[in-house]
C-alpha cells in the first residue's frame, strides 16, 4: 500500500507543478513604488514550504495572484528552516506562514486555507 502511495505521489507531484506552471496567475500591474511599499509591508512574513506539496503550490499561487514578494523557506531540504519550523512553529507541516507582528511577537500560521484567508484579507484588492 505504501509503495502504491509513493507511485501515485511520484506521478502527481510533477503533474501538479506542470499545471501550476502552465496556468500561473498573472502578477498584478503596479508601479515600482507601489510594489516597494507593499514589499515593505510584507517583509515581516516568511512562508515555510515544500516545492512540490500541493497545499504549498496553492499558497504560492495566492502570493503571486496578490503580487506579494514573501520569502519562501524550503523546509524540506534546508535543515535550518526545517528545524526552525518544528521547534518554533510546533510541528513539521507545510505550508506555514511565519508572521512577525509589530510588537515583535511571532505567530506561526498553519493550514493553507487560513494562510490564504490571512493574505487575502490583508492584501487582497477587495479584502
Ligand atoms: N491541511 C493542511 C495539509 C498540509 C499537508 O498535508 N502538508 C504536508 C505536505 S503536502 C506536510 O506538511 N507533510 C509533512 C511531512 O511531509 O513531513 C493544509 O491545507 O495546509
Amino acid at each position: 500500500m505504501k509503495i502504491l502511495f509513493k507511485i501515485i505521489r511520484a506521478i502527481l507531484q510533477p503533474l501538479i507543478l506542470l499545471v501550476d506552471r502552465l496556468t500561473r496567475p498573472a502578477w498584478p500591474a503596479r508601479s515600482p513604488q507601489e510594489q516597494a511599499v507593499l514589499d515593505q509591508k510584507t517583509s515581516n512574513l516568511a512562508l515555510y514550504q515544500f516545492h512540490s506539496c500541493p497545499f504549498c503550490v496553492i499558497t504560492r499561487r495566492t502570493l503571486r495572484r496578490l503580487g506579494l514578494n514573501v520569502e519562501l523557506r524550503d523546509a524540506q531540504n534546508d535543515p535550518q528552516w526545517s528545524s526552525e519550523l518544528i521547534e518554533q512553529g510546533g510541528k513539521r507541516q507545510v505550508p506555514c506562514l511565519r508572521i512577525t507582528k509589530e510588537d515583535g511577537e511571532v505567530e506561526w500560521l498553519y493550514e493553507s486555507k487560513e494562510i490564504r484567508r490571512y493574505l487575502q484579507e490583508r492584501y487582497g484588492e477587495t479584502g
Side-chain angles (χ1 to χ4, degrees), residues 48 83-91 98 106 108 110:
Y48 290 68
S83 56
E84 214 175 89
L85 176 65
I86 297 166
E87 285 159 23
Q88 297 176 32
K91 57 182 170 179
R98 183 183 190 275
V106 173
W108 295 81
Y110 285 94

Side-chain angles (χ1 to χ4, degrees), residues 74-87 92:
D74 183 346
Q76 191 165 30
N77 300 306
D78 188 320
Q80 183 194 340
W81 303 140
S82 172
S83 56
E84 214 175 89
L85 176 65
I86 297 166
E87 285 159 23
R92 182 185 150 97

Side-chain angles (χ1 to χ4, degrees), residues 50 52-56 92-95 110-113 115:
F50 295 173
S52 51
C53 153
F55 303 97
C56 300
R92 182 185 150 97
Q93 182 184 298
V94 289
Y110 285 94
E111 291 300 326
S112 53
K113 201 173 163 189
I115 297 170

Side-chain angles (χ1 to χ4, degrees), residues 1-125:
M1 202 59 179
K2 232 176 169 182
I3 187 84
L4 187 66
F5 278 123
K6 269 194 172 173
I7 293 169
I8 292 172
R9 209 168 48 206
I11 295 168
L12 277 184
Q13 282 182 343
L15 200 65
I16 288 167
L17 290 174
L18 179 68
V19 172
D20 174 46
R21 185 166 281 249
L22 295 176
T23 64
R24 201 160 272 183
W27 194 272
R30 299 194 175 104
S31 69
Q33 290 79 5
E34 285 171 327
Q35 187 65 55
V37 169
L38 192 55
D39 289 353
Q40 179 57 38
K41 282 187 189 164
T42 58
S43 62
N44 65 325
L45 304 176
L47 186 72
Y48 290 68
Q49 48 100 45
F50 295 173
H51 181 59
S52 51
C53 153
F55 303 97
C56 300
V57 170
I58 292 171
T59 308
R60 291 199 302 265
R61 289 175 70 88
T62 299
L63 289 176
R64 190 173 173 85
R65 183 172 55 73
L66 297 174
L68 305 177
N69 280 314
V70 169
E71 183 189 347
L72 301 178
R73 295 183 174 173
D74 183 346
Q76 191 165 30
N77 300 306
D78 188 320
Q80 183 194 340
W81 303 140
S82 172
S83 56
E84 214 175 89
L85 176 65
I86 297 166
E87 285 159 23
Q88 297 176 32
K91 57 182 170 179
R92 182 185 150 97
Q93 182 184 298
V94 289
C96 180
L97 187 67
R98 183 183 190 275
I99 306 162
T100 308
K101 298 186 182 166
E102 272 177 28
D103 62 3
E105 192 198 324
V106 173
E107 182 189 347
W108 295 81
L109 183 62
Y110 285 94
E111 291 300 326
S112 53
K113 201 173 163 189
E114 294 306 318
I115 297 170
R116 286 184 291 131
R117 195 207 315 267
Y118 175 91
L119 296 171
Q120 178 64 40
E121 277 176 7
R122 274 161 188 77
Y123 307 107
E125 293 292 314

